[in-house]
Amino acid sequence: MKLTTAGESHGKALVGIIEGLPSNLKIDIAEINKYLSLRQSGYGRGARQKIEKDEVEILSGVRNLLTLGSPLAFEVKNKDYENWREVMAPEGADTDKRKLTCVRPGHADLTGAIKYDQADARNILERASARETAARVVGGCIARQYLKALGVEISGYVKSVGNIIDPNIYAFESVLKAKESPLFMLDKEREAEAKKLLDKLRTDGDTAGGIIEIRVKGLKSGFGSCMQYSTKLDAILCAAIMSVQAIKGVEVGLGFGAATLLGSEVHDEIFFDGGYKRKTNNAGGIEGGMSNGEEIVLRAAMKPIPTLMKGLETVDIATNTPAQSAGERSDVAAVCAAEIILESVVAFALADVVSRRLGGDNMREVLERYRALR
Ligand code: EPS
């Protein structure tokens, strides 16, 4: 399965093409739109989200809500394009307007402008923007629907915002409730503290990051491989997570915590109870690069958004003189958006791994082959 995305943040639309879907997968468009809307939600989002109301339009590959096995093409329109047409139009755009030369530390602006030989960092930021992730949520939702047909579920929650950290461990059923809360946090006291922090940062013109935990339940063992580095499930899922804008760290199971513990404290002891089981799940459901049948547990660290309303010291690349980086509008935090995006990219990467093992041109074949696995 492959997803290619295209589209600029203030261009006409975001588009995507998914190749490799089997036929007869039932597509739930309302569910895709629900996740698109969740990606836009969350405490700490900025004014742009009041302009957009993301909805998917499927252009090909689906007939009467069933996939055809052909490439599935889709688009999500940018409503803000109407305000940017004269700046962003493919033909006749006024490129002197809305130039960005006071490059923002932490964004792709400066390195991208040098690499792509651009005097205006707008030609970089438009594509580097996290707006692109709306297309990945669409792809991820379709992958989620493929996995759900096999009984595999994906969920997650926000574990920290800035320095406010929820240290608790939650059952999958509790994690499913996270999206009922404004910050997708499960600890209500800490969520209230996090909201206060974000209110203060909005006044200060600053931003915050956070930690997101993603869980996968119901996957049989043996997905991924120990035979070649490039086919290891943890490597594939972590690469998918690291491909998301603003993600700077990722861990599986105990992750960094495993480094300071003893072997006897870390490794999950095995017993037999009608099937092989583990007493604990410190490995986060992956051993030797393969799913082991336990829940997959992944955590990602998101850095604070690099557009700060109060600005940071930088250089104006038009003159090479000192300047303040500009921010017209910015999210204070986008940890809830990141939670939805990470669920989506994990779903897509996992669906690809599953479909590589199972093959199958239609869902009947896929389901038969999955059921036949030990
Ligand atoms: C982004 C800047 C902001 C964010 C945007 C990502 O957009 P704008 O410059 O239009 O205010 O809101 O994210 C989205 C639009 C989105 O849908 O997630 C950036 O510079 O990366």
Side-chain angles (χ1 to χ4, degrees):
M1 251 178 241
K2 187 179 167 213
L3 168 67
T4 303
T5 73
E8 280 75 42
S9 177
H10 304 95
K12 240 181 203 179
L14 302 163
V15 298
I17 297 183
I18 306 172
E19 289 169 65
L21 284 169
S23 67
N24 291 334
L25 170 66
K26 189 148 188 1
I27 299 299
D28 182 344
I29 293 176
E31 188 187 67
I32 301 173
N33 287 331
K34 183 185 95 181
Y35 279 96
L36 282 173
S37 151
L38 283 169
R39 192 198 71 90
Q40 291 194 267
S41 72
Y43 205 75
R45 288 291 250 165
R48 175 75 188 273
Q49 299 313 321
K50 294 194 176 78
I51 300 171
E52 303 297 341
K53 189 184 178 307
D54 293 341
E55 276 178 349
V56 70
E57 187 177 350
I58 294 182
L59 304 172
S60 74
V62 176
R63 185 168 178 229
N64 199 26
L65 296 180
L66 290 175
T67 55
L68 297 168
S70 55
L72 189 158
F74 64 85
E75 84 168 6
V76 177
K77 284 206 165 66
N78 289 325
K79 293 213 163 42
D80 211 9
Y81 179 66
E82 288 315 315
N83 307 317
W84 285 79
R85 187 185 287 273
E86 60 167 337
V87 178
M88 291 300 296
E91 195 181 357
D94 184 347
T95 52
D96 287 332
K97 280 198 174 149
R98 308 294 292 253
K99 264 189 161 171
L100 193 139
T101 56
C102 297
V103 289
R104 294 161 299 172
H107 217 294
D109 302 350
L110 178 58
T111 310
I114 297 166
K115 177 176 166 65
Y116 292 98
D117 192 19
Q118 298 287 0
D120 180 1
R122 175 143 316 275
N123 290 335
I124 305 305
L125 71 94
E126 284 290 336
R127 181 64 186 151
S129 161
R131 177 96 189 119
E132 179 264 349
T133 58
R136 285 201 270 170
V137 168
V138 176
C141 268
I142 290 168
R144 181 196 295 274
Q145 289 166 10
Y146 169 90
L147 291 169
K148 200 169 174 193
L150 309 179
V152 180
E153 274 189 277
I154 300 178
S155 194
Y157 67 102
V158 171
K159 212 165 175 54
S160 79
V161 175
N163 59 359
I164 297 160
I165 302 167
D166 174 1
N168 297 312
I169 295 166
Y170 296 99
F172 190 84
E173 288 61 37
S174 305
V175 173
L176 287 175
K177 297 194 186 109
K179 293 178 193 74
E180 292 164 13
S181 300
L183 265 169
F184 296 5
M185 288 182 90
L186 292 164
D187 181 317
K188 296 300 139 211
E189 264 177 48
R190 289 190 173 90
E191 185 169 69
E193 280 176 52
K195 281 173 78 178
K196 261 192 217 154
L197 170 70
L198 296 187
D199 290 342
K200 182 178 180 317
L201 294 180
R202 192 178 290 284
T203 312
D204 295 350
D206 219 325
T207 58
I211 296 173
I212 295 113
E213 183 169 298
I214 301 296
R215 307 265 283 268
V216 181
K217 192 182 174 193
L219 181 69
K220 289 191 178 185
S221 71
F223 286 94
S225 164
C226 58
M227 296 300 174
Q228 188 65 267
Y229 65 91
S230 55
T231 57
K232 287 177 187 254
L233 183 60
D234 35 8
I236 291 167
L237 298 183
C238 290
I241 288 175
M242 286 302 296
S243 76
V244 174
Q245 289 83 338
I247 299 300
K248 296 302 272 186
V250 55
E251 57 181 15
V252 183
L254 273 186
F256 276 67
T260 54
L261 297 173
L262 303 177
S264 55
E265 295 168 312
V266 168
H267 298 296
D268 306 308
E269 291 185 315
I270 301 168
F271 65 101
F272 189 83
D273 176 20
Y276 299 109
K277 295 197 176 137
R278 309 300 193 277
K279 288 186 191 165
T280 49
N281 187 22
N282 293 332
I286 303 178
E287 287 173 303
M290 297 168 288
S291 61
N292 66 7
E294 303 289 331
E295 244 179 59
I296 295 177
V297 183
L298 305 154
R299 268 180 304 279
M302 180 187 202
K303 70 180 180 183
I305 304 275
T307 308
L308 271 67
M309 295 306 284
K310 70 174 181 183
L312 286 169
E313 282 181 24
T314 187
V315 171
D316 184 337
I317 57 170
T319 54
N320 280 344
T321 52
Q324 283 287 107
S325 64
E328 274 177 44
R329 60 186 182 197
S330 173
D331 300 322
V332 178
V335 281
C336 295
E339 194 284 319
I340 298 295
I341 298 156
L342 293 182
E343 279 188 35
S344 305
V345 298
V346 165
F348 201 88
L350 188 57
D352 180 44
V353 169
V354 170
S355 72
R356 275 171 205 268
R357 183 173 184 201
L358 299 179
D361 293 323
N362 61 67
M363 279 310 283
R364 192 201 308 268
E365 282 175 359
V366 171
L367 291 170
E368 278 170 8
R369 291 173 191 186
Y370 189 70
R371 280 192 204 111
L373 295 176
R374 281 182 66 196

